[in-house]
Amino acid sequence: MKFARVKPLDAILATAKKKSLHPTLGAVQLTLFGIGCVIGTGIFVLTSAGAQKAGPGLMLAFAIAGLICIVAALCYAEIAAMIPVAGSAYTYTYSVMGEMLAWTVGWALVLEYAVAASAVSVGWSGYFTGTILNEFFGIVLPTYLTAGPVALGGAPGGLINLPAVVIALLVTWLLMIGTNESAKVNAVLVMIKVTALTAFIILTLPAAEMDNFNPFLPAGVFGGFGSGVGAVGAAATIFFAYVGFDAVSTAAEETKNPQRNVPIGLIGSLGICTVFYILVAAGAVGSIGGQPIMGPNGVPFPAGSEMLARQCAMPEYADMLVCSNEALAHVLRMIGFSGVGNMLGIAAFIALPSVILILLFGQTRIFFVMARDGLLPEGLSKIHPKWKTPYVVTAITGAIVAFAAAFLPVGQLADIANAGTLYAFMMVAIAVMMLRKTDPDRKRVFRTPALWLVGPATIAGCIFLFLNLPFEAMIVLPAWAGIGLVIYFLYGYKSSHLGKGIIEVPDDDILNPHG
């Protein structure tokens, strides 16, 4: 069949065998690793966008997103342990469903990583301008340098989010010259993030007032497909807060007794993070209120919209949770803990660039693997003679990330990133179920329990959240896929190494941290 070029799984696995990793991780280490990967941008940045969609129902939204992540993670774990090589969901799809669908997954992952990196850059900018410049140095940057145009959901008088552009380009430069993020530095950043959120919960929950939770679901549980509001609409946006759990599944090969420890690590880390997130949401909403700003039709203004930006510019709304660019630090300042709020702002300022680095790393490696397979021009996979990094694709990616961060608000960016993520996770679940049928005797270090239930639940959950994204974010994915398929048929189909009969899998595969 024309579209059924399947990359032989044995050729891919031959690489993994050459680099077999020693199993050293136990259940507790895996759980802690997962918590470190998951607690990051989403909770620091998306609390205000989530509250605008669901009000106090944000707590329910975190539970819904967490449940869908758990079933997706269990599917991910089986195939990641079987095929522990670069390319993640793109490689899995290539080995099971063939080249064209693999291209669409790789193309969706490019969207996910690049847009997510832009979203984190915008989130970092909020903490940098609010905490570092304003609170510590008394410097107030003009609006035209800290927000995109109001027509794009930025702020009245906004032009460009300069700090977001600077951090995106700085991290790109670090990645190009080959700066590695060491495990020790990452462990310190994890401790900073967890400590900051724990302090937030301890200080805000005693200040919570029950009146602030009423009405609990101002936009309902279900705002309607394509509306992006209600508890489920908020869950579709804050799904972003959980992305990173797949790093646990990719560690399956290095885990002692993976059948027992991988599900403990996955469900344990996602469960703990879900409880953390619900408590953070309860503290934020309970202490200063988290009701959305309603439009004239009784439906919340869309997060990241021009209408909401204009409302937030009014004095009566300026201090609301839904209008803050640095939600958690803002909450602490509002209830009299300015010093701790500033420390939390510093924690976000320090920790978020590492997240941008991991996202950019993942995106460039996906591009790199696709170029190496011949589906993109080989020039993109060129390695710098001195830095030993794929510098061409890193520079292109960084420029695109900086451009998106310059003009779009964080809520819109998160929604677009989630569209690509949900598609990739759905394809992983399909690949796991297909492999069970087509290759039942293949060695599986970890087997997804009750796949007959977990697999379809993952597919249904991903489709359900996708349909609850705002309509504008939903149409980005098919439009992006359409552009990708044009490129595939004009270039990739004819240039594919697999199509030419070249099936070597290099020894120097780079494991991708996420995907």
Side-chain angles (χ1 to χ4, degrees):
M1 271 178 65
K2 188 178 180 184
F3 302 134
R5 291 175 180 167
V6 174
K7 196 167 195 175
L9 192 51
D10 287 317
I12 296 170
L13 289 173
T15 307
K17 272 196 180 134
K18 288 178 193 168
K19 300 184 308 199
S20 189
L21 299 163
H22 184 61
T24 55
L25 297 171
V28 175
Q29 290 161 296
L30 210 53
T31 303
L32 292 173
F33 178 58
I35 293 168
C37 292
V38 173
I39 288 185
T41 326
I43 190 62
F44 282 104
V45 173
L46 288 180
T47 307
S48 50
Q52 176 58 23
K53 289 167 178 275
L58 178 63
M59 296 160 67
L60 177 60
F62 277 122
I64 294 167
L67 277 172
I68 293 172
C69 277
I70 284 173
V71 288
L74 289 171
C75 289
Y76 225 104
E78 177 171 321
I79 202 161
M82 276 176 72
I83 316 174
V85 292
S88 183
Y90 160 74
T91 304
Y92 310 154
T93 310
Y94 212 155
S95 68
V96 181
M97 287 176 264
E99 186 175 274
M100 191 181 85
L101 283 175
W103 165 269
T104 65
V105 172
W107 194 241
L109 287 175
V110 166
L111 178 74
E112 173 203 333
Y113 283 123
V115 176
S118 301
V120 184
S121 301
V122 174
W124 179 88
S125 171
Y127 281 96
F128 172 70
T129 54
T131 297
I132 307 300
L133 291 184
N134 195 355
E135 294 290 327
F136 283 100
F137 297 105
I139 298 169
V140 180
L141 288 179
T143 307
Y144 64 83
L145 292 180
T146 59
V150 70
L152 297 176
L159 177 64
I160 183 171
N161 192 331
L162 192 60
V165 173
V166 170
I167 194 66
L169 294 178
L170 182 62
V171 171
T172 301
W173 177 71
L174 287 173
L175 207 52
M176 280 172 66
I177 62 172
T179 300
N180 286 323
E181 191 188 37
S182 78
K184 284 182 182 171
V185 171
N186 197 47
V188 171
L189 292 177
V190 168
M191 284 305 299
I192 288 173
K193 290 187 288 190
V194 172
T195 305
L197 289 188
T198 304
F200 179 87
I201 292 166
I202 290 168
L203 293 175
T204 54
L205 281 182
E209 296 177 12
M210 290 312 293
D211 285 352
N212 287 333
F213 293 99
N214 188 29
F216 185 71
L217 292 164
V221 174
F222 182 68
F225 290 129
S227 69
V229 298
V232 181
T237 296
I238 59 177
F239 190 77
F240 187 86
Y242 289 93
V243 172
F245 69 77
D246 42 353
V248 180
S249 60
T250 56
E253 197 194 2
E254 296 170 76
T255 305
K256 292 181 285 190
N257 190 3
Q259 282 303 116
R260 172 185 174 273
N261 291 339
V262 169
I264 290 174
L266 282 168
I267 295 172
S269 58
L270 283 168
I272 290 167
C273 290
T274 301
V275 172
F276 239 111
Y277 288 177
I278 290 170
L279 290 174
V280 166
V285 170
S287 55
I288 70 164
Q291 294 297 334
I293 299 175
M294 293 292 192
N297 56 355
V299 175
F301 285 112
S305 66
E306 177 183 355
M307 296 89 78
L308 181 64
R310 292 195 183 280
Q311 296 294 315
C312 286
M314 297 179 184
E316 63 265 36
Y317 295 129
D319 287 336
M320 287 181 68
L321 177 67
V322 298
C323 290
S324 175
N325 290 327
E326 37 160 7
L328 303 190
H330 172 72
V331 168
L332 289 172
R333 289 190 199 114
M334 290 289 290
I335 60 171
F337 294 105
S338 292
V340 186
N342 291 343
M343 295 305 290
L344 190 141
I346 292 170
F349 168 76
I350 294 169
L352 294 185
S354 70
V355 183
I356 303 170
L357 188 131
I358 291 167
L359 289 166
L360 277 174
F361 176 90
Q363 203 278 314
T364 54
R365 272 31 177 200
I366 290 282
F367 248 150
F368 177 76
V369 174
M370 291 172 78
R372 201 179 53 199
D373 284 339
L375 297 178
L376 289 169
E378 300 267 345
L380 289 175
S381 62
K382 271 206 302 204
I383 303 293
H384 195 279
K386 181 182 173 189
W387 299 332
K388 303 285 187 271
T389 58
Y391 69 105
V392 177
V393 72
T394 305
I396 293 169
T397 302
I400 294 166
V401 166
F403 181 80
F407 302 112
L408 292 173
V410 70
Q412 279 185 23
L413 289 165
D415 285 336
I416 295 168
N418 283 343
T421 309
L422 291 165
Y423 175 65
F425 288 176
M426 181 186 77
M427 295 300 277
V428 166
I430 294 169
V432 172
M433 293 193 292
M434 284 181 68
L435 269 175
R436 285 277 187 97
K437 286 274 190 287
T438 59
D439 203 349
D441 301 324
R442 177 81 59 185
K443 186 190 171 193
R444 287 164 170 80
V445 181
F446 169 78
R447 289 176 74 87
T448 304
L451 184 61
W452 59 271
L453 174 64
V454 171
T458 302
I459 296 165
C462 288
I463 293 171
F464 182 59
L465 284 190
F466 177 77
L467 293 173
N468 279 281
L469 287 167
F471 181 71
E472 298 77 14
M474 279 166 52
I475 58 172
V476 168
L477 185 65
W480 177 252
I483 295 166
L485 286 172
V486 170
I487 295 169
Y488 174 70
F489 286 116
L490 289 179
Y491 180 88
Y493 184 73
K494 291 177 282 190
S495 306
S496 159
H497 288 180
L498 188 61
K500 292 176 179 176
I502 307 166
I503 312 177
E504 92 287 347
V505 181
D507 288 345
D508 61 344
D509 247 331
I510 308 165
L511 281 174
N512 178 20
H514 166 70

